[in-house]
Amino acid sequence: MKKLKFTFHGKDFYANMLPEEAPLTCEAVEKACPFTTRWIHAKIVYNEVFCMTQIEGPTFRENPIPNLPGDIGFYDIPQAICCWHGDMKPLGAGNVFARFTPEQMAVFHEETVGMWEETGCPVVVDVVEED
C-alpha cells in the first residue's frame, strides 16, 4: 500500500493513500512528489492545515465526501493539500485522497496544533511504499 508522507519538524507522518476512491488524484500527487512547500494553518474548520502545491490534479472533486478528522484532501483552486485533524467542524466536501490512521492523526495533530503561531513551517511531501 502506498503512503502519503509529510516530513516537518524533523519527524515523518504517514497516511494511507486511497487509490480506489480517488485514483486520478492519487496518481497526480504521486507524479508531483517529492516536493517541498510550507504549512499554513487555515482555522476555517478549527484544526486544519494546508500546503500549496503545483500538482496537476483533476479539476473536479473525484471523492467529494464530508471532511472528517484524519482526512487529507486535494483542492484544484487553489492547488492545495488540506489535512483535517483533532476536534473540527466539517464544512462541505473535500476531494479526499488519503487518510491518517487514528494513531497517526493524533500524532500529526499534536505536532500541528501550534502552527497558528508558526505560519510557513517547511514540509516535504512524498509518496512511499509501505515497509
Side-chain angles (χ1 to χ4, degrees), residues 8 25 37 44 59 62 76 85 90 103 116-117 128-129 131:
F8 61 99
T25 305
T37 184
I44 294 169
T59 57
E62 111 181 288
D76 62 318
H85 57 93
E103 298 79 19
W116 186 247
E117 291 84 25
V128 297
E129 289 287 339
D131 293 336

Side-chain angles (χ1 to χ4, degrees), residues 87-100:
D87 272 344
M88 51 147 310
K89 296 175 175 80
L91 180 67
N95 183 17
V96 176
F97 72 95
R99 184 171 291 126
F100 287 116

Side-chain angles (χ1 to χ4, degrees), residues 6-8 35-40 50-54 79 81 120-125:
F6 297 111
T7 303
F8 61 99
F35 62 90
T36 301
T37 184
R38 296 190 175 274
W39 282 126
I40 300 168
F50 71 94
C51 58
M52 303 305 290
T53 75
Q54 296 294 318
Q79 292 176 319
I81 292 176
C121 170
V123 57
V124 176
V125 182

